Amino acid sequence: MGQGLWRVARSQQLQQQGYSGQGYLTREHGRRIAANNVSNASHRKQAQGGIDIYHLLKTRKSKEQEGFINLEMLPPELSFTILSYLNATDLCLASCVWQDLANDELLWQGLCKSTWGHCSIYNKNPPLGFSFRKLYMQLDEGSLTFNANPDEGVNYFMSKGILDDSPKEIAKFIFCTRTLNWKKLRIYLDERRDVLDDLVTLHNFRNQFLPNALREFFRHIHAPEERGEYLETLITKFSHRFCACNPDLMRELGLSPDAVYVLCYSLILLSIDLTSPHVKNKMSKREFIRNTRRAAQNISEDFVGHLYDNIYLIGHVAA
């Protein structure tokens, strides 16, 4: 009884809205005719005014169904250029499709040298069966080993013939590599002062402003988190290297390695003072000039003021 009353009420509602069975089909048919007329008018307008959107979409769909472009059908120079933008993982995946192209030695040589800029093996005659793809895997494994245990990592590189047992070669490898964990590297350099000496000499601070040179130095050789003998050693080596790279400037300003050493410590303390949220009363420019000139009297007031401005505007020298 209830369902019968519902059907009667629903039928009356549809009739009032004009959506009875026949009315609905009539309206739907009219709507389709109107849509076709609009579509045809649009096509005629496009044909008269320029590009036919329908054919454009149809062509695009057919090209999408064709899949990716086959790199083997392109000129080799273009194919290698495309593949050179891939990292090692993606290049291995690409070799499943384009084996001859993705396994090309020039591509893997570029990956090796872009990640590890210097290896002793680069300057040697390659042994029989040498492959840059295999070398990449060895360099990656050796870097992971170094980040777990620096001594074992260096020994691994030497055992594979990648590095020579020379402090200078190890220093060049470290200087040109960015995949090494800086905490493990700091521990290794603290133990291998001979490698540290060669690593410092690889820096060229010529015509660089002192705070900027110090930032570059600490980007390669990270400063310890606390003051101690190792930090003093780093600043001492930096001071001598900075003076050696800028002899004319040192004579002009009347600076010595000891004076640069004092300035470096002043810059580090100023960096901490200005950037630390725990220091409420920040050191003023006048205070910095007064304190620094007490420690190094031959330094001009203007030069010390420029040092303060650099730290204030750019930030910490050892961040």
Side-chain angles (χ1 to χ4, degrees), residues 49-60:
I51 301 174
D52 191 335
I53 301 299
Y54 173 76
H55 290 294
L56 181 63
L57 295 175
K58 185 177 180 180
T59 304
R60 180 179 178 183

Side-chain angles (χ1 to χ4, degrees), residues 153-172:
V154 174
N155 291 333
Y156 175 86
F157 290 131
M158 293 179 182
S159 65
K160 300 297 182 181
I162 297 173
L163 277 181
D164 292 341
D165 190 2
S166 165
K168 184 174 292 186
E169 287 295 304
I170 299 174
K172 288 181 180 179

Side-chain angles (χ1 to χ4, degrees), residues 276-291:
S276 176
H278 303 292
V279 179
K280 302 302 180 182
N281 298 322
K282 306 296 184 181
M283 185 183 301
S284 66
K285 187 174 182 178
R286 181 172 296 181
E287 290 173 339
F288 177 73
I289 293 174
R290 183 178 65 249
N291 296 336

Side-chain angles (χ1 to χ4, degrees), residues 56-66:
L56 181 63
L57 295 175
K58 185 177 180 180
T59 304
R60 180 179 178 183
K61 184 178 179 181
S62 63
K63 287 190 174 295
E64 289 177 351
Q65 292 175 350
E66 293 176 1

Side-chain angles (χ1 to χ4, degrees), residues 6-20:
W6 180 86
R7 289 193 184 96
V8 172
R10 180 60 176 166
S11 177
Q12 293 176 353
Q13 182 181 6
L14 292 176
Q15 289 177 2
Q16 291 174 359
Q17 295 179 353
Y19 282 92
S20 62

Side-chain angles (χ1 to χ4, degrees), residues 136-303:
Y136 183 96
M137 305 305 174
Q138 292 175 340
L139 285 168
D140 187 56
E141 182 176 352
S143 298
L144 293 175
T145 305
F146 184 96
N147 293 337
N149 188 309
D151 291 326
E152 291 184 4
V154 174
N155 291 333
Y156 175 86
F157 290 131
M158 293 179 182
S159 65
K160 300 297 182 181
I162 297 173
L163 277 181
D164 292 341
D165 190 2
S166 165
K168 184 174 292 186
E169 287 295 304
I170 299 174
K172 288 181 180 179
F173 174 80
I174 293 173
F175 185 79
C176 299
T177 301
R178 299 293 178 269
T179 60
L180 304 180
N181 182 275
W182 65 270
K183 292 183 178 180
K184 297 296 183 180
L185 182 59
R186 186 176 62 191
I187 295 173
Y188 180 78
L189 293 176
D190 191 12
E191 297 174 351
R192 292 292 304 269
R193 298 299 175 91
D194 54 343
V195 177
L196 178 61
D197 290 338
D198 288 315
L199 185 58
V200 172
T201 59
L202 292 175
H203 290 81
N204 184 9
F205 302 122
R206 183 171 178 80
N207 296 329
Q208 291 192 26
F209 194 38
L210 181 60
N212 297 333
L214 196 57
R215 289 188 186 94
E216 180 183 339
F217 180 74
F218 283 132
R219 273 197 295 267
H220 288 94
I221 307 174
H222 291 269
E225 298 175 355
E226 299 178 355
R227 289 184 57 179
E229 187 270 337
Y230 181 58
L231 178 61
E232 295 177 359
T233 299
L234 291 181
I235 297 178
T236 301
K237 292 182 182 298
F238 168 82
S239 302
H240 284 85
R241 182 59 182 168
F242 184 83
C243 293
C245 292
N246 300 280
D248 297 335
L249 180 63
M250 296 302 103
R251 286 193 297 267
E252 180 183 346
L253 298 176
L255 297 178
S256 64
D258 292 337
V260 174
Y261 179 92
V262 172
L263 291 177
C264 290
Y265 253 115
S266 299
L267 291 173
I268 293 174
L269 295 177
L270 177 64
S271 299
I272 296 173
D273 185 275
L274 294 182
T275 59
S276 176
H278 303 292
V279 179
K280 302 302 180 182
N281 298 322
K282 306 296 184 181
M283 185 183 301
S284 66
K285 187 174 182 178
R286 181 172 296 181
E287 290 173 339
F288 177 73
I289 293 174
R290 183 178 65 249
N291 296 336
T292 303
R293 295 197 67 191
R294 286 177 182 174
Q297 300 178 356
N298 296 330
I299 303 174
S300 68
E301 183 174 328
D302 291 339
F303 181 73

